[in-house]
Amino acid sequence: GQLEESGGGSVPAGGSLTLSCAGSGYSLGWSCMGWYRQGEGQEREGVATIRKDGSTTYADFVQGRFNISQDNAQKILFLQMNSLKVEDTATYYCAAVRPWNACNVNVVSEGPKTLDAWGQGTQVIVSS
């Protein structure tokens, strides 16, 4: 895809990871970027979004634990994940939301119909 995630891995519960998203297709023209995740056999879940003005939204289940940020100079999107729980185990994807859509965690989880670009995902495994 146009985007590429990195930074996933295996950590014990309570640990931290920072995911990154970059790629040759990363465009500063995208007004809304975000992360969604999908556990094995589960539905996609929106995790966090960030607009160009820096405003963010988070899913209730990560509120206060995860932080989304963007380095426009380097064209990198980050997801800092702290206090990880076993239920956070999933493949995490970064995505760019199409401009005519709202910028929130529900939209970023809807898949290709609302996304301009997304990556192949990076796996996060949290063990008890």
Side-chain angles (χ1 to χ4, degrees):
Q2 296 174 276
L3 300 174
E4 183 174 347
E5 304 88 348
S6 61
S10 296
V11 294
S16 298
L17 282 173
T18 298
L19 307 183
S20 300
C21 170
S24 61
Y26 197 110
S27 171
L28 294 179
W30 287 320
S31 59
C32 175
M33 301 286 294
W35 293 88
Y36 66 92
R37 71 186 188 186
Q38 188 164 22
E40 189 171 348
Q42 298 179 8
E43 298 290 320
R44 280 190 299 266
E45 297 181 301
V47 175
T49 63
I50 185 167
R51 295 176 61 94
K52 290 187 75 172
D53 64 4
S55 59
T56 58
T57 69
Y58 293 94
D60 288 344
F61 54 78
V62 303
Q63 192 73 253
R65 300 188 296 125
F66 291 11
N67 183 69
I68 186 172
S69 61
Q70 188 173 21
D71 183 331
N72 289 325
Q74 299 294 326
K75 295 184 181 181
I76 304 175
L77 181 73
F78 298 100
L79 184 68
Q80 172 70 42
M81 306 187 295
N82 300 315
S83 302
L84 282 161
K85 303 176 180 180
V86 172
E87 51 264 42
D88 293 321
T89 295
T91 299
Y92 286 71
Y93 302 84
C94 67
V97 177
R98 291 182 178 175
W100 53 84
N101 290 283
C103 187
N104 60 54
V105 294
N106 292 323
V107 171
V108 79
S109 68
E110 290 185 18
K113 67 179 180 179
T114 59
L115 303 179
D116 254 350
W118 57 93
Q120 295 298 310
T122 186
Q123 190 172 31
V124 172
I125 300 173
V126 185
S127 58
S128 58

